Amino acid sequence: MMFQLQKIRCIFGSIILCCAACSSDKGPHYVAPEFAGERSAKFELLTGELLFMNVLDIWEYKSNLVVLGFENGCFLHIFDKENGKKILETISLGRGPKEIGSLLNARLDRQGVLTLVDRQQQKRLSFQIDSLLAHSFAAISEQPCENPSWCRALIPLQERQLVVRNIGDAARDTTGVVRFELRDKAGKPTARNNDFPLADAAMRFMVYNEARISVSPDEHRLAVGTVWGAVLETFSLEEDIESVCTRYFVEPNIDLGAAPGINEKTISGFADLYAGNDRIYASYDGITKVLELSKVPAEERPLQFNRIVVFDWEGNGIERIVTDYNIRALCAGEDGTIYAAVFDNLNRFYLGRIGSPGR
């Protein structure tokens, strides 16, 4: 009941905001997020320097940290979350059996089943983490997987699948092609949503090609945040794909036309999102102009994505944690510990953690 009341208040507030936006040619009003609490915290590093060029995702599973990133020719790496020791690395880059050629997205569910979707080869690899640790390569199964038009993610759920698309602004013949689609086990659409928070089709396509997407472990909610600028959306997936809130924090500024890309006004937003059942955790910037940062020598740059921001599912700011590293990917454990793949300004990666205030 409390969630419903808060949701009604949020929807009412969104209606007011939309009415205000409709009365002006300037579009939505962008306001930096505010937080009920703020603290500083240093990461406890669990590993020495890692050789990742980038990390795509990280999850906690039992006593392990499951890390998705390319190192030593492998995509998947499992570490002990207490001492940082690497336990296993597997899944090579390639076109062969049980290899990944072009990763579309990945998700680890509550049962410890990790699914990797290969866009190029139209297949998916799936395995249970305990089984993988016990049987290694033999635990990985491979199944064919379609590649819907304009697809950004195919997210497997227990009894359903969520399709996320970003349709090109010049696309033709897109009748029936929508942004979000829930499908049942037989592939039949059961719910759709085609709303975007940005009206300009060209800007929308550029911004949402880089958006971060996360589904809560209980599969009831979906969060979407932008990398360029900062727009946060939340949705309920319980019965339909129903918008809960849209928060406009930082306006996306992208050059369009013949030479699209970032410009002197482009500000970074969310580097990663992790959707918990009760809260959303994100690595966030919200202040740095990207091109200005690129002109500063690496060793002299200020940290960029070094803020962990926590929201409730109505988009209200709960806490901001200012840290001592840039944060590429993060997740939250059941006890409130935040685990992350972090890097310094020389692009040296580590795994680290920050405990909840009481730990």
Side-chain angles (χ1 to χ4, degrees):
M1 179 62 73
M2 181 60 69
F3 176 76
Q4 293 297 327
L5 289 174
Q6 290 173 332
K7 185 174 173 182
I8 290 169
R9 293 191 192 104
C10 183
I11 292 171
F12 180 70
S14 297
I15 291 172
I16 293 174
L17 178 61
C18 288
C19 290
C22 290
S23 66
S24 169
D25 293 334
K26 295 182 179 180
H29 181 53
Y30 290 87
V31 179
E34 296 182 353
F35 299 90
E38 182 166 338
R39 62 184 170 110
S40 297
K42 291 186 175 182
F43 274 100
E44 175 190 356
L45 297 183
L46 301 174
T47 68
E49 181 183 348
L50 302 172
L51 299 180
F52 292 111
M53 293 299 294
N54 192 16
V55 173
L56 303 178
D57 221 328
I58 184 172
W59 302 272
E60 179 201 42
Y61 177 70
K62 295 183 178 179
S63 62
N64 306 305
L65 293 176
V66 181
V67 179
L68 192 63
F70 195 66
E71 183 187 48
N72 295 331
C74 294
F75 271 110
L76 185 73
H77 311 266
I78 300 180
F79 297 81
D80 186 300
K81 74 177 185 181
E82 294 301 326
N83 59 31
K85 180 181 178 181
K86 183 177 283 193
I87 301 170
L88 178 70
E89 58 184 17
T90 188
I91 304 183
S92 300
L93 173 67
R95 296 174 176 269
K98 302 183 181 181
E99 294 181 336
I100 288 290
S102 175
L103 187 68
L104 178 63
N105 64 275
R107 182 169 188 261
L108 181 69
D109 68 17
R110 286 188 297 181
Q111 285 69 44
V113 175
L114 180 62
T115 302
L116 309 176
V117 179
D118 189 324
R119 180 206 302 269
Q120 188 179 66
Q121 300 181 78
Q122 297 193 44
K123 68 180 183 181
R124 65 180 186 182
L125 307 183
S126 59
F127 45 88
Q128 206 280 334
I129 296 298
D130 295 315
S131 180
L132 183 72
L133 291 173
H135 305 291
S136 190
F137 204 68
I140 302 172
S141 65
E142 182 175 303
Q143 305 89 23
C145 181
E146 69 165 323
N147 184 15
S149 58
W150 303 106
C151 187
R152 280 280 291 109
L154 291 171
I155 302 175
L157 307 176
Q158 285 300 307
E159 300 295 330
R160 303 175 293 175
Q161 182 185 61
L162 175 64
V163 181
V164 181
R165 297 184 178 92
N166 185 31
I167 304 167
D169 56 294
R172 298 181 180 180
D173 192 22
T174 58
T175 302
V177 180
V178 296
R179 183 187 184 193
F180 298 117
E181 185 176 78
L182 280 172
R183 297 177 175 181
D184 62 19
K185 283 189 171 182
K188 179 181 178 182
T190 60
R192 290 178 168 182
N193 184 309
N194 201 34
D195 294 333
F196 275 95
L198 303 180
D200 185 276
M203 179 68 72
R204 182 176 68 211
F205 181 67
M206 291 290 293
V207 170
Y208 282 93
N209 263 346
E210 300 292 335
R212 306 307 190 211
I213 303 164
S214 186
V215 173
S216 61
D218 62 12
E219 302 183 354
H220 291 171
R221 299 179 183 90
L222 164 71
V224 181
T226 62
V227 175
W228 308 125
V231 178
L232 176 67
E233 299 171 88
T234 66
F235 299 84
S236 170
L237 302 178
E238 292 190 70
E239 296 181 3
D240 207 331
I241 308 172
E242 183 179 359
S243 175
V244 176
C245 268
T246 302
R247 301 293 190 185
Y248 297 91
F249 298 136
V250 179
E251 182 176 4
N253 273 293
I254 299 288
D255 285 337
L256 306 176
I262 61 175
N263 59 43
E264 68 280 357
K265 295 182 180 180
T266 306
I267 292 176
S268 301
F270 298 100
D272 192 36
L273 286 180
Y274 174 78
N277 289 336
D278 301 316
R279 296 181 174 187
I280 301 164
Y281 300 80
S283 54
Y284 182 69
D285 180 55
I287 58 174
T288 303
K289 293 182 178 178
V290 181
L291 290 184
E292 286 185 5
L293 192 70
S294 66
K295 298 174 184 177
V296 180
E299 62 274 10
E300 299 176 13
R301 290 176 190 169
L303 294 173
Q304 185 181 7
F305 292 106
N306 65 315
R307 302 164 189 85
I308 299 171
V309 290
V310 186
F311 300 94
D312 64 22
W313 279 94
E314 289 73 43
N316 301 309
I318 297 173
E319 185 179 32
R320 176 167 49 202
I321 308 169
V322 181
T323 80
D324 55 342
Y325 278 90
N326 299 301
I327 304 158
R328 175 56 189 89
L330 80 169
C331 65
E334 293 182 0
D335 64 354
T337 300
I338 297 171
Y339 298 94
V342 302
F343 62 100
D344 61 19
N345 284 342
L346 298 179
N347 209 42
R348 295 176 295 197
F349 273 89
Y350 309 86
L351 298 186
R353 65 183 169 206
I354 290 176
S356 59
R359 287 171 56 89

